[in-house]
Every structure is written in structure tokens, then in C-alpha cells.
Amino acid sequence: MAKYTQNEAKAWARKHMVGSTNAPTTPFKPDFSLDEEGLAFNVNKYAEIGLYGLMTGGNMAEAWNMTPTEWNRYTQICASANQGRMMLTSVILDPSPFTVIEKAKFLDTLGYDFIEVINPVIQLRSDADLYGYYKYLNDHSPLAIVLYQTPTAGVLLNHGLINRLADLPMVVGIKNGVSNPADSIAMRKMCGDRIVVTEPMESFYLWDRIVHGAQCIFGTLEVIMYGRLRERFFKLQALADAGKFDEALPIYRELDPLRDLLSELFMVPLVTRNQYALAPIKYWLELLGFKMGVCRPPLAPRTDEATQARIREVLLKTGAIVDTDLKAA
């Protein structure tokens, strides 16, 4: 059951949407079936390395390419392997509010904390219809709602509409994935007193935290992708949270090559072509000791040799992995 009432949801989110919540890819076997053992192994490892929150079910997780039965099983495994150690959020990509509520009730039985709901991807485009969609979710979901603002949905919520939605008691946050930090700053000034406005990109967090009042990173891969350097990231985040910019900046610069690699492999295809380039990310994470396997059709199952070599080069050069990690992978 949810850990809060409808009237408590916003305060609960304000207190608990902190730290770093990552959205990892999903392991599939060579025959494209879900690797259940690999998934449980990964979730346990995410918790062991100190990840605060786990975001399941989104585009990065290939949840759009799972059957309903598979999605349920995948979600059950994530919750079971977690054993209450990480805050759990599930992205829901369905356009029907009835499907969203059905999934929210299922997630509630598994101990999930929030749902993150993508903007409706078909049919609904007017402010009135979009407001009605979220109002229905607000009135019927047992779990609080984080808005998922992304061009992938085909429609972006305007600030006036977001300001109205922020008044709904079960709308507690927004992941503002429009790749424009200035938009998040403006949104935080407008409605940040009612919802937690988050930037998914860790590259902006140092400034966003110290100058603009950010309180978490919600939805990328930093804790997972930094490998042996993740303790440097934790130190960076602690310094940012304490407002110690001068001490944090040198650590931030240390991690730049890995951010640049993520941008090159994933963010540029996403921003310029709306393409989720997941195969390179899976190879990267396999080098760090996670079980990732292949991507499902129609995505390329694996990344090419040149990209693999590029990933190995950067991870070894930065110290995110060492030679023994490479041999183990």
C-alpha cells in the first residue's frame, strides 16, 4: 500500500525525491526473452552500490517493447529483488488512463513509491483533454504521479497547463526531459512550491542544486555508468548538496569524459533523431559487471565493434574500469 494519503503525497515526495534515481536498460537473452536471473542480479547490484532510487519500465528499459505479461513479470522481479532498499518508480507509457490506473494498482501491491506517466502519445492534444487525463489519474491512482515531459510523446505540456496540474494533490513532480535547463529553472520558479521539478541530466546538477534549488537527479544512469568512479560521483553530489561549489568543481571535471561519452552515444541520437541508442549503453554496463545481453527487434541487438572499442578506451582511460574488469566481462 502507498506510504502516504492523497493529502500527504506532495510532502512525502518533497522529502523522498532526493539523491539519484537511475533508469537502467533491461537484460534480454539471445532469443530476446527476458533474462529474469540477470534482471534480479542487476537490481540487487544497483542496491548494493548505493543507488537511491530505481526507475523501471521506461523507454530506456525497452518497456515499450514488452508484452503486458512480460511487463508484469519484469516489474515483479524488480520489486522482489529490491527488497525495499531503493525508492521505486515505474514509468508508464500507456495512452489509456484506465491502463495507467490498472498498472498503478498492481505496482502499489508490489511496494512501488510513485508512477511516472508519459504525456499521452496519441489522441489527446488540447489542454482541456490533457488536464482531464491527469485529473482522472489524480482521482483514481493509489500512487502519486510524476509527470514525464519528453518530446518522445509527440506533445509537450505548456507551462500554463503544468501550473494547473501542479495543484492536483497526487501530482507531486515532473521529470523535465526537454534538454533545456532554462526551461526547468523557469518551471521551478513557477510551480516548484507545489511539485518537485527535476532535471534528468546529471551534467547540470552541480549548478542546478547550488543556484536553482534542485533536490535530486531523476532518470539517467550516473551512479551505474561511473563504475569504479561512482564514489567520486557520490562525493560530488554531497558537495553540491552542501553548496560547496569550489570543492565540487574539480571532481565534476574528472567525470567529464564519461559524460561526454554518454552524450556521444546516447544523448545526441536522442536529441537530434529521437532515437534511443540502447545497444552501446548495454555494452558499457556489461563492462561494469552488469548483465545486459541484447536489445530486442527492431533495435540492433548489439553495438558495432568500433563503438565497443571507443567505450573500452574511455572507460579504461578514466579508471571507470580496470583490465581485470575487461577480462571478467
Side-chain angles (χ1 to χ4, degrees):
M1 298 293 291
K3 303 173 178 68
Y4 43 80
T5 66
Q6 187 174 84
N7 290 333
E8 297 167 340
K10 288 183 184 291
W12 200 93
R14 186 71 61 183
K15 180 178 180 181
H16 292 277
M17 285 183 69
V18 295
S20 184
T21 292
N22 281 194
T25 51
T26 300
F28 292 104
K29 297 178 181 179
D31 65 358
F32 306 120
S33 63
L34 179 65
D35 182 353
E36 296 189 3
E37 291 184 3
L39 178 61
F41 173 90
N42 289 346
V43 172
N44 180 62
K45 189 168 181 177
Y46 301 149
E48 287 183 340
I49 64 178
L51 180 62
Y52 175 80
L54 180 64
M55 182 180 294
T56 71
N59 289 303
M60 179 74 81
E62 293 179 77
W64 54 272
N65 208 13
M66 295 181 193
T67 68
T69 300
E70 288 171 330
W71 187 91
N72 285 347
R73 181 62 181 148
Y74 155 83
T75 305
Q76 287 175 317
I77 293 170
C78 289
S80 176
N82 180 46
Q83 296 183 340
R85 290 173 289 177
M86 297 176 286
M87 183 181 74
L88 289 180
T89 302
S90 177
V91 181
I92 300 182
L93 304 172
D94 300 273
S96 164
F98 295 93
T99 304
V100 175
I101 296 303
E102 181 178 287
K103 287 188 171 183
K105 290 178 178 178
F106 176 65
L107 292 163
D108 188 33
T109 67
L110 298 176
Y112 270 69
D113 297 289
F114 301 113
I115 55 173
E116 180 186 327
V117 183
I118 197 169
N119 303 341
V121 297
I122 58 173
Q123 299 290 9
L124 306 180
R125 289 294 180 267
S126 73
D127 282 6
D129 285 344
L130 290 166
Y131 182 85
Y133 176 85
Y134 287 107
K135 179 64 165 62
Y136 186 88
L137 301 186
N138 173 84
D139 293 348
H140 295 87
S141 174
L143 296 177
I145 301 153
V146 177
L147 306 175
Y148 180 14
Q149 174 84 319
T150 171
T152 305
V155 61
L156 293 176
L157 309 177
N158 62 66
H159 279 212
L161 178 55
I162 293 170
N163 196 36
R164 289 180 63 201
L165 294 174
D167 286 334
L168 296 173
M170 291 292 275
V171 173
V172 300
I174 183 170
K175 182 173 78 175
N176 196 30
V178 299
S179 300
N180 181 1
D183 190 73
S184 296
I185 294 167
M187 191 183 300
R188 196 174 289 123
K189 291 179 179 179
M190 176 185 69
C191 59
D193 60 327
R194 286 162 287 150
I195 60 174
V196 179
V197 178
T198 75
E199 266 284 324
M201 294 308 299
E202 179 269 337
S203 58
F204 185 54
Y205 184 73
L206 177 58
W207 289 267
D208 200 23
R209 172 62 168 161
I210 292 174
V211 180
H212 303 294
Q215 68 176 62
C216 66
I217 312 168
F218 204 70
T220 45
L221 287 165
E222 55 285 337
V223 175
I224 298 172
M225 76 179 190
Y226 284 143
R228 290 178 178 265
L229 298 179
R230 72 174 57 90
E231 292 304 322
R232 298 298 285 163
F233 164 75
F234 286 138
K235 178 67 172 178
L236 167 66
Q237 189 171 40
L239 290 169
D241 291 349
K244 297 180 179 180
F245 183 84
D246 290 345
E247 295 180 50
L249 186 58
I251 301 175
Y252 180 92
R253 296 302 184 204
E254 286 177 32
L255 300 174
D256 261 343
L258 291 166
R259 290 190 197 93
D260 291 345
L261 182 63
L262 181 65
S263 178
E264 173 189 331
L265 299 176
F266 182 74
M267 291 308 302
V268 170
L270 179 61
V271 172
T272 61
R273 301 191 295 276
N274 244 351
Q275 176 188 358
Y276 277 80
L278 299 181
I281 301 303
K282 287 193 169 184
Y283 181 72
W284 180 336
L285 296 181
E286 283 185 341
L287 294 180
L288 300 182
F290 299 101
K291 300 182 185 301
M292 286 297 159
V294 300
C295 294
R296 278 183 145 182
L299 301 182
R302 298 187 184 276
T303 193
D304 59 85
E305 291 291 339
T307 301
Q308 291 182 15
R310 170 77 175 139
I311 295 169
R312 291 194 300 270
E313 175 191 15
V314 174
L315 267 58
L316 285 167
K317 187 174 181 179
T318 58
I321 63 171
V322 296
D323 287 334
T324 54
D325 299 323
L326 198 58
K327 292 174 183 177

